[in-house]
């Protein structure tokens, strides 16, 4: 139930950098970022904007790009602006990969 889901979210959050090094780990991050509670999504999104290398890796990943989309969906105000600036700063890198282009095309 809800307690198990919350425990899984916390475990993924704690190991987010290690998980992002593996394609299937990226899939797990995306799954959590699209199914967790709103508060857990925000916490993970805040962690990801403090780890720009990881966020860009997810953005270009077949299995992780949904997590990057979710960062833009859940953050607001200054934090969302920070994420948008990070993506804009990496536009040349993101434009070289299919999923990065999708993210660039979707930005608000």
């Amino acid at each position: 139930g809800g307690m198990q889901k919350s425990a899984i979210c916390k475990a993924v959050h704690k190991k987010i950098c290690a998980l992002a090094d593996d394609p299937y780990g990226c899939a797990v991050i995306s799954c959590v970022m699209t199914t967790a509670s709103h508060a857990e999504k925000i916490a993970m999104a805040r962690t990801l904007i403090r780890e720009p290398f990881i966020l860009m890796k997810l953005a270009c990943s077949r299995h992780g790009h949904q997590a990057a989309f979710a960062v833009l969906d859940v953050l607001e105000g200054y934090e969302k602006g920070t994420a948008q600036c990070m993506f804009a700063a990496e536009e040349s890198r993101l434009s070289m990969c299919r999923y990065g282009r999708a993210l660039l095309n979707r930005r608000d």
Side-chain angles (χ1 to χ4, degrees):
M3 287 178 54
Q4 284 179 322
K5 193 173 188 180
S6 183
I8 291 168
C9 291
K10 285 183 174 104
V12 169
H13 189 179
K14 190 174 182 180
K15 300 285 185 181
I16 201 164
C17 293
L19 286 167
D21 281 334
D22 179 83
Y24 298 108
C26 289
V28 170
I29 294 168
S30 282
C31 182
V32 169
M33 282 296 294
T34 56
T35 62
S37 73
H38 188 69
E40 290 164 331
K41 289 178 187 178
I42 289 172
M44 286 191 56
R46 287 176 174 157
T47 296
L48 288 170
I49 63 171
R50 288 191 304 269
E51 298 287 346
F53 179 77
I54 300 297
L55 184 56
M56 293 310 134
K57 186 184 286 191
L58 290 169
C60 287
S61 161
R62 174 182 177 198
H63 298 294
H65 71 280
Q66 291 299 327
F69 280 78
V71 167
L72 291 174
D73 289 341
V74 301
L75 293 179
E76 297 177 347
Y78 175 79
E79 291 172 321
K80 183 173 186 164
T82 298
Q84 290 170 324
C85 287
M86 291 168 67
F87 291 130
E90 294 290 335
E91 187 169 354
S92 62
R93 179 178 170 202
L94 292 170
S95 66
M96 290 190 284
C97 63
R98 173 183 175 184
Y99 302 103
R101 284 191 301 273
L103 181 72
L104 290 171
N105 290 334
R106 185 184 171 275
R107 286 188 306 199
D108 298 332

